[in-house]
């Protein structure tokens, strides 16, 4: 079974600075998807960014980018120019590439605080 | 754009009571999921469905039942609620024909069992 580990329960960053959230995973599969979800106090689960394992290029979405290291099974999220609205819980998730249902396995989350 | 709608948003039950949580999606998605979220833990899969009339167990299915009588609806039932089922419940759906598509989540239901 796949496992996802987020070793940083809490992180803090100053507004306009850059922060990196860590995620590692364990799998024997070669093809899969990785996601970062944001959960603000409103409780919504918002997709931040996704990465297909077969793609070597790191995904980027505006101020959000990932550092995907397949051999090391590492998938970190970098937030540049942090904004107050970035304060939230961030969850890393793994999904099988194929097969029925393609269930998500989540990490335990990292709470990000953004300070002035 | 309604997306995934969960009903109700909040509920308080007494131990032993039963209730049903409703999830509705208007995106014609084949796959639907029920998760629970507890403090200090990520979302854990309770049950899921890959199509109308089909359901399957996830990681933590005990104490819950589900039904998918219509493609757009996925119901989660608690037959005899227990305090351990106090949690926030999320429903999600996904387009089964497009493997790269992510899951879309509802806004969650906060359920407290006294």
């Amino acid at each position: 079974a796949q496992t996802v580990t987020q070793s940083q329960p809490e992180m803090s960053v100053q507004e306009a600075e850059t922060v990196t959230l860590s995620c590692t995973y364990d799998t024997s599969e070669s093809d899969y998807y990785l996601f970062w979800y944001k959960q603000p106090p409103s409780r919504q689960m918002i997709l931040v960014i996704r990465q297909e394992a077969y793609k070597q290029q790191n995904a980027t979405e505006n101020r959000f980018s990932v550092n995907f290291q397949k051999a090391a099974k590492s998938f970190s999220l970098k937030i540049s120019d942090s904004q107050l609205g970035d304060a939230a819980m961030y969850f890393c998730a793994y999904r099988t590439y194929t097969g029925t249902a393609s269930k998500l396995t989540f990490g335990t989350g990292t709470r990000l605080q953004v300070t002035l | 754009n309604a997306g995934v709608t969960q009903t109700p948003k909040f509920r308080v039950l007494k131990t032993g009571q039963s209730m049903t949580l409703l999830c509705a999606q208007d995106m014609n998605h084949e796959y639907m999921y029920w998760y629970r979220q507890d403090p200090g833990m990520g979302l854990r899969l309770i049950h899921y469905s890959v199509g109308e009339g089909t359901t399957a167990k996830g990681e933590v299915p005990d104490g819950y039942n589900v039904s998918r009588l219509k493609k757009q609806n996925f119901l989660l039932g608690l037959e005899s609620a227990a305090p351990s089922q106090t949690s926030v419940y999320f429903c999600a759906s996904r387009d089964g024909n497009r493997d790269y598509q992510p899951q879309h989540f509802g806004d969650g239901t906060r359920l407290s069992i006294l």
Side-chain angles (χ1 to χ4, degrees), chain A residues 43, chain B residues 8-21 36-39 64 76 78 80-89 108-114:
Chain A
R43 214 167 60 198
Chain B
K9 296 191 183 307
F10 303 94
R11 186 72 184 268
V12 178
L13 291 178
K14 294 181 179 179
T15 298
Q17 286 185 317
S18 64
M19 79 160 297
T20 301
L21 305 184
R36 61 177 288 173
Q37 183 180 26
D38 301 298
Y64 305 95
L76 177 71
L78 287 73
S80 180
S84 61
Q85 294 177 305
T86 294
S87 188
V88 179
Y89 292 85
T109 295
R110 182 175 295 278
L111 184 61
S112 295
I113 316 295
L114 304 178

Side-chain angles (χ1 to χ4, degrees), chain B:
Chain B
N1 294 334
V4 179
T5 302
Q6 292 184 230
T7 308
K9 296 191 183 307
F10 303 94
R11 186 72 184 268
V12 178
L13 291 178
K14 294 181 179 179
T15 298
Q17 286 185 317
S18 64
M19 79 160 297
T20 301
L21 305 184
L22 171 64
C23 176
Q25 52 95 5
D26 61 1
M27 298 171 283
N28 202 35
H29 286 171
E30 289 78 14
Y31 295 173
M32 296 188 74
Y33 311 80
W34 275 108
Y35 295 89
R36 61 177 288 173
Q37 183 180 26
D38 301 298
M41 305 184 75
L43 277 69
R44 292 182 293 166
L45 184 65
I46 304 171
H47 286 281
Y48 64 97
S49 168
V50 299
E52 182 178 321
T54 72
T55 62
K57 294 180 180 180
E59 182 185 357
V60 288
D62 294 342
Y64 305 95
N65 56 75
V66 288
S67 64
R68 184 102 181 264
L69 299 179
K70 294 182 178 180
K71 186 177 184 179
Q72 64 268 34
N73 295 337
F74 194 30
L75 278 62
L76 177 71
L78 287 73
E79 290 188 350
S80 180
S84 61
Q85 294 177 305
T86 294
S87 188
V88 179
Y89 292 85
F90 286 93
C91 177
S93 71
R94 189 174 79 80
D95 184 346
N97 293 320
R98 300 180 182 181
D99 207 55
Y100 58 89
Q101 288 295 322
Q103 293 184 13
H104 297 261
F105 285 84
D107 290 343
T109 295
R110 182 175 295 278
L111 184 61
S112 295
I113 316 295
L114 304 178

